[in-house]
Amino acid sequence: MEKLYFIPGSQDLYGAECLAQVAADCAEMTAFLNEKLEGTIRIELLPTVETSEICVEDMKKVMCDDDCVGVITWMHTFSPAKMWIKGLQMLNKPLLHLHTQANEKLPYDTIDMDFMNLNQAAHGDREYSFILARLGIAHEVVAGYYKHDDFIAGVKRFAQVAKAIGLSKRTRVATFGNNMRDVAVTDGNRLECEIRYGWEIKYWGIGEIAKLADEATEAEVDAKMAEYTEKYTMATDNIEAVREQARYEIALEKFIAKNKVTAFTDNFQDLFGMKQLPGIAAQNLMAKGVGFGPEGDYKISAFSSVLMKMAEGREGATGFIEDYTYDLTPGAELELASHMLEVPASFAATKPEIQVHHLGIGGKADPARLVFDGVTGDGIQVTLVDMGDHFRIICADIELVKQPLPMPNLPVARIMYRHKPNFKIGTAAWCYAGGAHHSVVSTALTRDDIAMFARLTGTELITIGDDTTEADLQKFFMR
Ligand code: MN
Protein backbone atom coordinates (compact mmCIF):
# COMPACT_ATOMS: atom_id res chain seq x y z
CA MET A 1 0.00 0.00 0.00
CA GLU A 2 1.05 3.57 -0.63
CA LYS A 3 2.41 5.60 2.26
CA LEU A 4 2.90 9.16 3.42
CA TYR A 5 5.90 10.20 5.48
CA PHE A 6 5.26 12.50 8.43
CA ILE A 7 8.02 15.01 9.17
CA PRO A 8 7.52 17.11 12.29
CA GLY A 9 9.50 20.26 12.96
CA SER A 10 11.23 21.63 16.03
CA GLN A 11 14.74 22.90 16.80
CA ASP A 12 17.66 21.87 19.00
CA LEU A 13 17.38 24.85 21.41
CA TYR A 14 14.68 23.34 23.59
CA GLY A 15 16.64 20.48 25.16
CA ALA A 16 16.24 16.71 25.14
CA GLU A 17 13.12 16.57 27.30
CA CYS A 18 11.12 18.82 24.99
CA LEU A 19 12.29 16.98 21.85
CA ALA A 20 11.41 13.63 23.41
CA GLN A 21 7.90 14.94 24.08
CA VAL A 22 7.63 16.19 20.49
CA ALA A 23 8.60 12.73 19.18
CA ALA A 24 6.17 11.01 21.55
CA ASP A 25 3.27 13.28 20.60
CA CYS A 26 4.03 12.78 16.90
CA ALA A 27 4.13 9.01 17.34
CA GLU A 28 0.72 9.17 19.04
CA MET A 29 -0.66 11.33 16.23
CA THR A 30 0.75 8.92 13.63
CA ALA A 31 -0.86 5.94 15.36
CA PHE A 32 -4.18 7.74 15.62
CA LEU A 33 -4.23 8.78 11.96
CA ASN A 34 -3.12 5.32 10.83
CA GLU A 35 -6.08 3.82 12.62
CA LYS A 36 -8.46 6.32 11.03
CA LEU A 37 -6.98 6.01 7.53
CA GLU A 38 -6.62 2.25 7.49
CA GLY A 39 -7.27 0.88 4.03
CA THR A 40 -6.53 4.25 2.43
CA ILE A 41 -2.90 4.97 3.26
CA ARG A 42 -0.15 4.23 5.79
CA ILE A 43 1.72 7.01 7.58
CA GLU A 44 5.33 6.62 8.77
CA LEU A 45 7.00 9.04 11.13
CA LEU A 46 10.47 10.36 10.28
CA PRO A 47 12.98 12.04 12.62
CA THR A 48 11.98 15.50 13.84
CA VAL A 49 13.66 18.29 11.92
CA GLU A 50 16.03 20.03 14.34
CA THR A 51 18.61 21.04 11.72
CA SER A 52 18.85 21.54 7.97
CA GLU A 53 20.79 18.27 7.70
CA ILE A 54 17.99 16.23 9.26
CA CYS A 55 15.47 17.87 6.94
CA VAL A 56 17.58 16.91 3.90
CA GLU A 57 17.95 13.32 5.15
CA ASP A 58 14.18 13.05 5.73
CA MET A 59 13.37 14.41 2.27
CA LYS A 60 15.88 12.02 0.67
CA LYS A 61 13.90 9.19 2.22
CA VAL A 62 10.65 10.67 0.85
CA MET A 63 12.11 11.02 -2.60
CA CYS A 64 13.75 7.58 -2.81
CA ASP A 65 10.80 5.51 -1.58
CA ASP A 66 8.62 4.42 -4.52
CA ASP A 67 5.75 3.54 -2.16
CA CYS A 68 5.69 7.09 -0.79
CA VAL A 69 3.16 9.32 -2.59
CA GLY A 70 3.52 12.41 -0.43
CA VAL A 71 4.65 14.02 2.79
CA ILE A 72 2.98 15.50 5.85
CA THR A 73 4.64 18.24 7.90
CA TRP A 74 3.72 19.86 11.20
CA MET A 75 5.57 22.28 13.46
CA HIS A 76 4.91 21.08 17.01
CA THR A 77 7.18 23.85 18.29
CA PHE A 78 8.91 26.72 16.57
CA SER A 79 11.20 25.43 13.78
CA PRO A 80 13.24 28.17 12.11
CA ALA A 81 12.29 27.77 8.47
CA LYS A 82 15.67 28.38 6.85
CA MET A 83 16.36 24.83 8.09
CA TRP A 84 13.67 23.60 5.70
CA ILE A 85 14.84 25.29 2.50
CA LYS A 86 17.27 22.67 1.16
CA GLY A 87 15.00 19.76 2.03
CA LEU A 88 11.93 21.36 0.50
CA GLN A 89 13.87 22.18 -2.66
CA MET A 90 14.36 18.44 -3.20
CA LEU A 91 10.68 17.60 -2.84
CA ASN A 92 8.52 16.89 -5.87
CA LYS A 93 5.76 14.89 -4.20
CA PRO A 94 2.47 16.30 -2.84
CA LEU A 95 2.86 18.14 0.46
CA LEU A 96 0.29 18.43 3.23
CA HIS A 97 0.89 20.91 6.02
CA LEU A 98 -1.02 20.10 9.21
CA HIS A 99 -1.94 23.14 11.26
CA THR A 100 -2.87 21.44 14.51
CA GLN A 101 -1.88 20.81 18.12
CA ALA A 102 -1.25 17.82 20.35
CA ASN A 103 -3.83 19.30 22.75
CA GLU A 104 -7.39 20.26 21.97
CA LYS A 105 -8.10 22.69 24.79
CA LEU A 106 -5.89 25.17 26.63
CA PRO A 107 -5.08 24.00 30.19
CA TYR A 108 -6.06 27.33 31.74
CA ASP A 109 -5.28 26.27 35.33
CA THR A 110 -1.80 24.96 34.68
CA ILE A 111 -0.48 26.70 31.57
CA ASP A 112 3.05 28.07 31.97
CA MET A 113 5.96 29.02 29.68
CA ASP A 114 7.12 25.40 29.31
CA PHE A 115 3.70 24.46 27.95
CA MET A 116 3.72 27.47 25.62
CA ASN A 117 7.16 26.56 24.24
CA LEU A 118 6.20 22.96 23.66
CA ASN A 119 2.81 23.64 22.04
CA GLN A 120 3.29 26.55 19.71
CA ALA A 121 2.09 25.40 16.29
CA ALA A 122 0.26 28.74 16.00
CA HIS A 123 3.73 30.29 15.97
CA GLY A 124 5.86 27.61 14.29
CA ASP A 125 3.39 26.76 11.53
CA ARG A 126 3.31 30.40 10.48
CA GLU A 127 7.10 30.58 10.21
CA TYR A 128 7.04 27.38 8.14
CA SER A 129 4.11 28.51 5.99
CA PHE A 130 6.02 31.61 5.05
CA ILE A 131 8.88 29.60 3.57
CA LEU A 132 6.43 27.40 1.61
CA ALA A 133 4.87 30.53 0.15
CA ARG A 134 8.27 32.17 -0.40
CA LEU A 135 9.53 29.08 -2.27
CA GLY A 136 6.29 28.84 -4.27
CA ILE A 137 5.69 25.22 -3.26
CA ALA A 138 2.21 23.91 -4.07
CA HIS A 139 0.75 22.36 -0.92
CA GLU A 140 -2.40 21.80 1.07
CA VAL A 141 -3.15 23.01 4.59
CA VAL A 142 -5.53 21.17 6.92
CA ALA A 143 -6.29 23.17 10.08
CA GLY A 144 -7.95 22.10 13.31
CA TYR A 145 -7.58 19.57 16.10
CA TYR A 146 -6.24 16.34 14.64
CA LYS A 147 -8.80 14.09 16.30
CA HIS A 148 -11.78 15.98 14.88
CA ASP A 149 -13.70 14.33 12.05
CA ASP A 150 -13.40 17.23 9.61
CA PHE A 151 -9.64 17.28 10.11
CA ILE A 152 -9.35 13.54 9.50
CA ALA A 153 -11.52 13.94 6.39
CA GLY A 154 -9.10 16.59 5.11
CA VAL A 155 -6.10 14.30 5.60
CA LYS A 156 -7.97 11.44 3.93
CA ARG A 157 -8.83 13.57 0.92
CA PHE A 158 -5.18 14.57 0.61
CA ALA A 159 -4.14 10.92 0.80
CA GLN A 160 -6.53 9.97 -1.99
CA VAL A 161 -5.45 12.87 -4.21
CA ALA A 162 -1.77 12.11 -3.50
CA LYS A 163 -2.33 8.48 -4.50
CA ALA A 164 -3.93 9.70 -7.73
CA ILE A 165 -0.96 11.97 -8.40
CA GLY A 166 1.30 9.00 -7.68
CA LEU A 167 -0.53 7.03 -10.36
CA SER A 168 -0.43 10.05 -12.66
CA LYS A 169 3.37 9.95 -12.55
CA ARG A 170 3.27 6.26 -13.53
CA THR A 171 0.62 6.69 -16.22
CA ARG A 172 1.49 5.26 -19.60
CA VAL A 173 -1.09 5.60 -22.35
CA ALA A 174 -0.85 3.22 -25.30
CA THR A 175 -2.40 5.02 -28.26
CA PHE A 176 -3.48 2.49 -30.87
CA GLY A 177 -3.69 4.73 -33.86
CA ASN A 178 -3.73 8.51 -33.75
CA ASN A 179 -6.44 11.03 -32.93
CA MET A 180 -9.59 10.99 -35.02
CA ARG A 181 -8.96 13.01 -38.14
CA ASP A 182 -9.86 16.72 -37.86
CA VAL A 183 -11.00 16.58 -34.23
CA ALA A 184 -9.53 19.45 -32.16
CA VAL A 185 -10.22 18.87 -28.47
CA THR A 186 -8.77 15.37 -28.31
CA ASP A 187 -5.43 16.66 -29.54
CA GLY A 188 -2.83 18.81 -27.80
CA ASN A 189 0.69 18.85 -26.46
CA ARG A 190 1.73 15.32 -25.48
CA LEU A 191 5.14 16.51 -24.32
CA GLU A 192 3.58 18.98 -21.90
CA CYS A 193 1.32 16.18 -20.57
CA GLU A 194 4.42 14.22 -19.63
CA ILE A 195 6.23 17.22 -18.13
CA ARG A 196 3.27 18.39 -16.01
CA TYR A 197 1.44 15.17 -15.13
CA GLY A 198 3.96 12.43 -15.89
CA TRP A 199 1.78 10.90 -18.61
CA GLU A 200 3.81 8.95 -21.16
CA ILE A 201 1.80 8.97 -24.38
CA LYS A 202 3.18 6.14 -26.53
CA TYR A 203 2.09 5.16 -30.00
CA TRP A 204 1.54 1.60 -31.18
CA GLY A 205 -0.33 0.24 -34.19
CA ILE A 206 -3.69 -1.49 -33.57
CA GLY A 207 -2.18 -4.43 -35.48
CA GLU A 208 -0.37 -5.29 -32.22
CA ILE A 209 -3.78 -6.02 -30.65
CA ALA A 210 -5.13 -7.76 -33.75
CA LYS A 211 -2.12 -10.11 -33.70
CA LEU A 212 -2.42 -10.90 -29.97
CA ALA A 213 -6.18 -11.45 -30.44
CA ASP A 214 -5.51 -13.96 -33.21
CA GLU A 215 -3.10 -15.77 -30.91
CA ALA A 216 -5.61 -16.10 -28.04
CA THR A 217 -6.34 -19.75 -27.35
CA GLU A 218 -9.83 -21.24 -27.20
CA ALA A 219 -9.27 -21.93 -23.51
CA GLU A 220 -8.41 -18.28 -22.86
CA VAL A 221 -11.51 -17.17 -24.78
CA ASP A 222 -13.67 -19.66 -22.84
CA ALA A 223 -12.37 -18.25 -19.55
CA LYS A 224 -13.09 -14.68 -20.63
CA MET A 225 -16.58 -15.69 -21.80
CA ALA A 226 -17.18 -17.23 -18.38
CA GLU A 227 -16.24 -13.89 -16.80
CA TYR A 228 -18.68 -12.10 -19.13
CA THR A 229 -21.58 -14.46 -18.54
CA GLU A 230 -21.04 -14.35 -14.79
CA LYS A 231 -21.16 -10.56 -14.69
CA TYR A 232 -23.54 -9.84 -17.57
CA THR A 233 -26.65 -11.21 -19.26
CA MET A 234 -26.10 -12.68 -22.71
CA ALA A 235 -28.77 -11.11 -24.90
CA THR A 236 -27.58 -12.13 -28.34
CA ASP A 237 -27.38 -15.28 -30.47
CA ASN A 238 -24.26 -13.95 -32.15
CA ILE A 239 -21.89 -15.60 -29.69
CA GLU A 240 -18.98 -15.44 -32.13
CA ALA A 241 -19.16 -11.62 -32.10
CA VAL A 242 -18.84 -11.71 -28.30
CA ARG A 243 -15.96 -14.20 -28.47
CA GLU A 244 -14.21 -11.78 -30.82
CA GLN A 245 -14.48 -9.07 -28.14
CA ALA A 246 -13.19 -11.55 -25.57
CA ARG A 247 -10.10 -12.00 -27.79
CA TYR A 248 -9.60 -8.21 -27.83
CA GLU A 249 -9.75 -7.99 -24.05
CA ILE A 250 -7.31 -10.90 -23.67
CA ALA A 251 -5.01 -9.19 -26.17
CA LEU A 252 -5.28 -5.84 -24.41
CA GLU A 253 -4.65 -7.39 -20.98
CA LYS A 254 -1.50 -9.10 -22.26
CA PHE A 255 -0.33 -5.92 -23.94
CA ILE A 256 -1.03 -3.85 -20.81
CA ALA A 257 0.91 -6.23 -18.57
CA LYS A 258 3.87 -6.55 -20.92
CA ASN A 259 4.25 -2.83 -21.61
CA LYS A 260 3.30 -1.54 -18.13
CA VAL A 261 0.42 0.40 -19.62
CA THR A 262 -2.26 1.99 -17.38
CA ALA A 263 -4.53 3.43 -20.07
CA PHE A 264 -5.14 3.18 -23.81
CA THR A 265 -6.91 4.74 -26.75
CA ASP A 266 -8.22 3.39 -30.01
CA ASN A 267 -9.76 4.98 -33.07
CA PHE A 268 -12.58 3.57 -35.24
CA GLN A 269 -10.74 5.06 -38.25
CA ASP A 270 -7.77 2.76 -37.69
CA LEU A 271 -8.87 -0.83 -37.07
CA PHE A 272 -6.44 -2.52 -39.43
CA GLY A 273 -6.61 -6.29 -38.87
CA MET A 274 -9.56 -6.01 -36.44
CA LYS A 275 -13.02 -7.38 -37.24
CA GLN A 276 -14.85 -5.07 -34.79
CA LEU A 277 -14.31 -1.89 -32.83
CA PRO A 278 -13.54 -2.91 -29.21
CA GLY A 279 -16.82 -2.56 -27.27
CA ILE A 280 -17.36 -4.88 -24.34
CA ALA A 281 -13.58 -5.34 -24.23
CA ALA A 282 -13.07 -1.63 -23.48
CA GLN A 283 -16.13 -1.44 -21.20
CA ASN A 284 -14.99 -4.33 -19.05
CA LEU A 285 -11.42 -3.03 -18.81
CA MET A 286 -12.57 0.44 -17.75
CA ALA A 287 -14.54 -1.16 -14.91
CA LYS A 288 -11.22 -2.61 -13.72
CA GLY A 289 -9.60 0.83 -13.53
CA VAL A 290 -7.89 0.87 -16.91
CA GLY A 291 -8.09 4.32 -18.49
CA PHE A 292 -9.67 4.57 -21.91
CA GLY A 293 -10.17 7.29 -24.50
CA PRO A 294 -11.91 6.73 -27.81
CA GLU A 295 -10.91 8.47 -31.04
CA GLY A 296 -7.31 8.74 -29.85
CA ASP A 297 -8.22 10.93 -26.87
CA TYR A 298 -5.10 10.29 -24.79
CA LYS A 299 -5.86 13.11 -22.32
CA ILE A 300 -9.20 11.69 -21.20
CA SER A 301 -7.73 8.19 -21.18
CA ALA A 302 -4.99 9.23 -18.75
CA PHE A 303 -7.23 11.57 -16.74
CA SER A 304 -9.92 8.90 -16.32
CA SER A 305 -7.40 6.44 -14.91
CA VAL A 306 -6.10 9.09 -12.49
CA LEU A 307 -9.61 9.96 -11.29
CA MET A 308 -10.58 6.29 -10.92
CA LYS A 309 -7.53 5.96 -8.67
CA MET A 310 -8.63 9.02 -6.67
CA ALA A 311 -12.04 7.41 -6.16
CA GLU A 312 -10.60 4.09 -5.01
CA GLY A 313 -12.30 2.86 -1.85
CA ARG A 314 -15.24 5.26 -2.13
CA GLU A 315 -18.87 4.53 -2.87
CA GLY A 316 -19.96 5.47 -6.39
CA ALA A 317 -18.89 5.11 -9.99
CA THR A 318 -16.21 6.95 -11.96
CA GLY A 319 -15.45 6.72 -15.66
CA PHE A 320 -15.29 8.08 -19.17
CA ILE A 321 -18.39 9.44 -20.88
CA GLU A 322 -19.36 11.57 -23.88
CA ASP A 323 -21.99 14.30 -24.06
CA TYR A 324 -24.56 13.25 -26.62
CA THR A 325 -28.07 14.69 -26.72
CA TYR A 326 -30.63 16.64 -24.66
CA ASP A 327 -34.22 16.60 -23.53
CA LEU A 328 -35.02 20.32 -23.62
CA THR A 329 -38.42 20.23 -21.90
CA PRO A 330 -38.54 23.65 -20.15
CA GLY A 331 -37.60 23.35 -16.49
CA ALA A 332 -36.94 19.61 -16.81
CA GLU A 333 -33.94 19.62 -19.12
CA LEU A 334 -31.81 16.50 -19.09
CA GLU A 335 -28.69 15.31 -20.83
CA LEU A 336 -28.26 11.85 -22.26
CA ALA A 337 -24.56 10.90 -22.19
CA SER A 338 -23.16 7.78 -23.79
CA HIS A 339 -20.77 6.74 -26.54
CA MET A 340 -20.91 4.70 -29.73
CA LEU A 341 -20.05 1.63 -27.57
CA GLU A 342 -17.58 2.33 -24.82
CA VAL A 343 -19.49 3.29 -21.69
CA PRO A 344 -17.73 1.86 -18.62
CA ALA A 345 -19.55 -1.04 -16.99
CA SER A 346 -19.05 0.69 -13.62
CA PHE A 347 -21.92 3.06 -14.55
CA ALA A 348 -24.44 0.23 -14.68
CA ALA A 349 -27.53 0.54 -12.47
CA THR A 350 -29.10 -2.51 -14.10
CA LYS A 351 -27.35 -5.78 -14.92
CA PRO A 352 -25.71 -5.09 -18.28
CA GLU A 353 -26.90 -7.00 -21.32
CA ILE A 354 -24.45 -8.19 -23.94
CA GLN A 355 -25.94 -7.13 -27.26
CA VAL A 356 -24.68 -7.10 -30.84
CA HIS A 357 -25.79 -4.35 -33.19
CA HIS A 358 -24.68 -2.69 -36.37
CA LEU A 359 -22.27 0.23 -35.96
CA GLY A 360 -22.72 2.81 -38.69
CA ILE A 361 -19.16 4.11 -38.74
CA GLY A 362 -15.85 2.33 -39.03
CA GLY A 363 -16.92 -0.09 -41.74
CA LYS A 364 -16.38 -3.19 -39.59
CA ALA A 365 -18.49 -6.12 -38.37
CA ASP A 366 -21.30 -5.60 -35.83
CA PRO A 367 -19.61 -5.16 -32.45
CA ALA A 368 -20.71 -6.69 -29.14
CA ARG A 369 -21.30 -4.19 -26.38
CA LEU A 370 -22.79 -3.88 -22.90
CA VAL A 371 -26.13 -2.06 -22.73
CA PHE A 372 -27.54 -0.76 -19.44
CA ASP A 373 -29.24 2.14 -17.66
CA GLY A 374 -26.99 4.37 -15.59
CA VAL A 375 -26.37 5.07 -11.91
CA THR A 376 -28.03 7.98 -10.12
CA GLY A 377 -27.01 10.49 -7.47
CA ASP A 378 -25.00 13.67 -7.02
CA GLY A 379 -21.86 13.77 -9.09
CA ILE A 380 -19.39 15.78 -11.09
CA GLN A 381 -18.50 15.99 -14.74
CA VAL A 382 -14.87 16.92 -15.27
CA THR A 383 -12.63 17.34 -18.28
CA LEU A 384 -9.15 18.56 -19.12
CA VAL A 385 -8.39 20.60 -22.22
CA ASP A 386 -5.19 21.96 -23.74
CA MET A 387 -5.44 25.75 -24.19
CA GLY A 388 -2.11 26.01 -26.02
CA ASP A 389 -0.14 27.67 -23.23
CA HIS A 390 -1.70 25.81 -20.30
CA PHE A 391 -4.06 23.00 -19.37
CA ARG A 392 -7.52 23.75 -18.03
CA ILE A 393 -9.70 21.51 -15.90
CA ILE A 394 -13.44 22.18 -15.99
CA CYS A 395 -15.52 20.64 -13.22
CA ALA A 396 -19.32 20.83 -13.23
CA ASP A 397 -21.63 19.66 -10.48
CA ILE A 398 -24.39 17.47 -11.89
CA GLU A 399 -27.20 15.27 -10.65
CA LEU A 400 -27.40 11.86 -12.28
CA VAL A 401 -31.01 10.78 -12.65
CA LYS A 402 -32.99 7.73 -13.65
CA GLN A 403 -33.99 7.90 -17.28
CA PRO A 404 -37.65 9.04 -17.33
CA LEU A 405 -38.78 6.47 -19.92
CA PRO A 406 -37.36 3.28 -21.45
CA MET A 407 -35.34 3.61 -24.66
CA PRO A 408 -35.86 0.19 -26.23
CA ASN A 409 -34.20 1.08 -29.53
CA LEU A 410 -31.04 2.67 -28.14
CA PRO A 411 -28.27 0.05 -28.61
CA VAL A 412 -25.77 1.60 -26.17
CA ALA A 413 -25.35 2.08 -22.44
CA ARG A 414 -26.18 5.52 -21.14
CA ILE A 415 -26.35 7.80 -18.14
CA MET A 416 -28.59 10.84 -17.72
CA TYR A 417 -28.01 13.99 -15.73
CA ARG A 418 -29.27 17.40 -14.79
CA HIS A 419 -26.96 20.39 -15.03
CA LYS A 420 -26.43 22.89 -12.23
CA PRO A 421 -27.43 25.57 -11.37
CA ASN A 422 -29.77 24.96 -14.33
CA PHE A 423 -29.50 23.83 -17.94
CA LYS A 424 -29.04 27.29 -19.41
CA ILE A 425 -26.24 28.52 -17.16
CA GLY A 426 -24.58 25.14 -16.59
CA THR A 427 -24.20 24.16 -20.22
CA ALA A 428 -23.40 27.71 -21.40
CA ALA A 429 -20.63 27.93 -18.80
CA TRP A 430 -19.19 24.62 -20.03
CA CYS A 431 -19.27 25.95 -23.60
CA TYR A 432 -17.65 29.28 -22.68
CA ALA A 433 -14.94 27.43 -20.75
CA GLY A 434 -14.12 25.36 -23.84
CA GLY A 435 -15.20 22.12 -22.22
CA ALA A 436 -14.69 18.96 -24.26
CA HIS A 437 -17.37 16.46 -25.35
CA HIS A 438 -15.31 13.75 -23.67
CA SER A 439 -15.21 13.87 -19.89
CA VAL A 440 -15.09 11.86 -16.71
CA VAL A 441 -18.27 11.57 -14.69
CA SER A 442 -18.08 10.50 -11.06
CA THR A 443 -20.57 9.94 -8.28
CA ALA A 444 -17.66 9.20 -5.93
CA LEU A 445 -15.62 12.40 -6.32
CA THR A 446 -16.50 16.01 -5.56
CA ARG A 447 -15.39 19.42 -6.70
CA ASP A 448 -13.11 19.61 -3.64
CA ASP A 449 -11.14 16.57 -4.82
CA ILE A 450 -10.67 18.03 -8.27
CA ALA A 451 -9.73 21.43 -6.83
CA MET A 452 -7.02 19.81 -4.71
CA PHE A 453 -5.66 17.93 -7.73
CA ALA A 454 -5.64 21.18 -9.72
CA ARG A 455 -3.81 23.09 -6.97
CA LEU A 456 -1.20 20.39 -6.44
CA THR A 457 -0.52 20.04 -10.17
CA GLY A 458 -0.66 23.78 -10.92
CA THR A 459 -3.58 23.45 -13.33
CA GLU A 460 -6.17 26.12 -14.06
CA LEU A 461 -9.60 25.13 -12.72
CA ILE A 462 -13.04 26.38 -13.71
CA THR A 463 -15.93 25.14 -11.59
CA ILE A 464 -19.62 25.17 -12.49
CA GLY A 465 -22.42 24.54 -10.02
CA ASP A 466 -25.11 26.09 -7.87
CA ASP A 467 -22.80 29.06 -7.20
CA THR A 468 -22.41 29.85 -10.93
CA THR A 469 -24.35 32.94 -12.08
CA GLU A 470 -25.17 34.79 -15.29
CA ALA A 471 -22.42 37.26 -14.35
CA ASP A 472 -19.89 34.41 -14.29
CA LEU A 473 -20.74 33.64 -17.92
CA GLN A 474 -19.62 37.13 -18.83
CA LYS A 475 -16.31 36.44 -17.09
CA PHE A 476 -15.77 33.34 -19.20
CA PHE A 477 -16.75 35.29 -22.28
CA MET A 478 -14.24 38.06 -21.51
CA ARG A 479 -11.30 35.70 -21.27
MN1 MN B 1 -16.21 10.35 -28.79
Side-chain angles (χ1 to χ4, degrees):
M1 177 181 289
E2 294 97 333
K3 70 170 90 154
L4 299 170
Y5 280 117
F6 178 23
I7 308 180
S10 187
Q11 62 179 335
D12 57 9
L13 297 182
Y14 293 123
E17 195 184 336
C18 174
L19 287 168
Q21 191 60 51
V22 167
D25 288 344
C26 291
E28 193 179 322
M29 189 185 290
T30 303
F32 176 84
L33 290 174
N34 270 328
E35 192 189 318
K36 294 291 181 185
L37 300 178
E38 192 175 355
T40 300
I41 202 116
R42 199 157 42 84
I43 300 173
E44 279 183 31
L45 182 61
L46 289 179
T48 305
V49 169
E50 299 163 30
T51 63
S52 179
E53 288 78 6
I54 296 174
C55 185
V56 167
E57 286 308 309
D58 282 355
M59 290 298 182
K60 277 185 192 165
K61 186 133 198 212
V62 169
M63 292 311 302
C64 291
D65 187 338
D66 288 343
D67 293 333
C68 170
V69 293
V71 62
I72 297 174
T73 54
W74 170 50
M75 305 306 120
H76 192 316
T77 70
F78 191 71
S79 182
K82 286 181 183 174
M83 299 190 316
W84 288 80
I85 292 173
K86 291 187 180 69
L88 287 169
Q89 282 174 328
M90 299 168 64
L91 182 66
N92 75 351
K93 294 184 179 181
L95 170 63
L96 170 63
H97 176 39
L98 301 184
H99 189 46
T100 189
Q101 289 188 161
N103 56 301
E104 181 187 25
K105 299 183 194 310
L106 271 183
Y108 291 95
D109 290 346
T110 58
I111 187 167
D112 57 12
M113 275 320 289
D114 285 345
F115 181 93
M116 289 256 281
N117 282 332
L118 177 63
N119 301 288
Q120 54 173 319
H123 184 52
D125 277 338
R126 281 173 164 79
E127 162 74 358
Y128 173 73
S129 295
F130 165 72
I131 206 65
L132 289 178
R134 173 67 177 78
L135 294 173
I137 293 174
H139 66 286
E140 290 297 313
V141 178
V142 174
Y145 183 52
Y146 77 94
K147 289 184 177 174
H148 290 171
D149 287 346
D150 60 337
F151 187 95
I152 297 160
V155 178
K156 187 168 186 177
R157 185 192 304 285
F158 173 82
Q160 289 168 326
V161 173
K163 283 166 69 174
I165 290 172
L167 175 71
S168 185
K169 290 175 180 175
R170 290 187 280 111
T171 291
R172 179 176 292 170
V173 184
T175 66
F176 298 111
N178 208 329
N179 296 69
M180 179 179 165
R181 287 186 281 278
D182 297 324
V183 174
V185 77
T186 59
D187 215 336
N189 189 333
R190 293 159 201 240
L191 179 60
E192 189 62 23
C193 279
E194 184 155 351
I195 292 169
R196 179 156 300 270
Y197 304 114
W199 301 345
E200 299 175 11
I201 318 291
K202 292 178 182 282
Y203 177 94
W204 277 278
I206 191 70
E208 304 267 358
I209 298 305
K211 182 168 178 294
L212 286 169
D214 282 345
E215 291 166 3
T217 66
E218 288 304 295
E220 287 173 321
V221 177
D222 289 345
K224 183 59 72 183
M225 290 296 285
E227 179 187 336
Y228 288 170
T229 49
E230 198 228 317
K231 286 153 95 173
Y232 313 124
T233 303
M234 189 69 71
T236 177
D237 296 332
N238 191 350
I239 303 299
E240 180 45 36
V242 186
R243 291 181 72 86
E244 183 66 9
Q245 289 285 334
R247 288 182 199 104
Y248 298 160
E249 186 171 346
I250 293 160
L252 284 160
E253 282 180 327
K254 286 181 183 169
F255 188 92
I256 284 166
K258 183 179 175 213
N259 296 288
K260 298 186 170 62
V261 163
T262 58
F264 71 102
T265 70
D266 61 19
N267 183 345
F268 67 91
Q269 292 172 326
D270 181 359
L271 292 173
F272 192 83
M274 306 279 281
K275 295 190 181 82
Q276 305 173 19
L277 177 68
I280 183 173
Q283 293 176 284
N284 202 43
L285 282 170
M286 281 188 272
K288 296 172 182 173
V290 177
F292 173 74
E295 293 110 44
D297 191 344
Y298 55 86
K299 292 194 300 298
I300 211 68
S301 179
F303 200 36
S304 65
S305 68
V306 169
L307 296 186
M308 283 188 277
K309 179 72 179 174
M310 200 182 289
E312 201 176 79
R314 294 194 194 182
E315 293 288 312
T318 302
F320 158 78
I321 204 70
E322 174 171 278
D323 300 277
Y324 240 112
T325 191
Y326 295 130
D327 179 341
L328 292 177
T329 304
E333 294 92 344
L334 288 179
E335 171 158 352
L336 170 59
S338 183
H339 206 260
M340 63 177 87
L341 298 178
E342 314 92 327
V343 179
S346 29
F347 283 138
T350 55
K351 189 172 183 184
E353 288 193 352
I354 302 174
Q355 300 181 12
V356 178
H357 300 278
H358 180 63
L359 179 63
I361 56 176
K364 293 287 176 175
D366 298 352
R369 80 289 304 273
L370 299 172
V371 180
F372 53 82
D373 297 350
V375 292
T376 57
D378 285 334
I380 54 169
Q381 180 184 16
V382 52
T383 194
L384 183 147
V385 293
D386 186 338
M387 302 304 289
D389 58 356
H390 68 283
F391 291 109
R392 171 179 291 172
I393 293 173
I394 304 150
C395 179
D397 296 333
I398 56 171
E399 182 192 358
L400 286 86
V401 298
K402 192 173 187 303
Q403 65 184 55
L405 293 167
M407 302 180 221
N409 292 318
L410 190 67
V412 286
R414 78 292 308 224
I415 56 176
M416 294 195 76
Y417 42 85
R418 190 173 285 128
H419 295 273
K420 293 183 178 182
N422 54 50
F423 178 83
K424 190 178 162 188
I425 293 177
T427 57
W430 188 273
C431 289
Y432 279 132
H437 50 77
H438 287 170
S439 61
V440 178
V441 160
S442 176
T443 58
L445 300 171
T446 67
R447 177 196 290 199
D448 291 340
D449 302 309
I450 304 305
M452 189 182 286
F453 178 84
R455 285 192 297 272
L456 288 172
T457 58
T459 310
E460 181 193 19
L461 174 70
I462 292 174
T463 59
I464 302 165
D466 279 333
D467 54 347
T468 306
T469 63
E470 288 274 356
D472 291 327
L473 298 186
Q474 299 305 313
K475 273 195 294 180
F476 290 131
F477 195 59
M478 297 294 285
R479 276 174 188 277

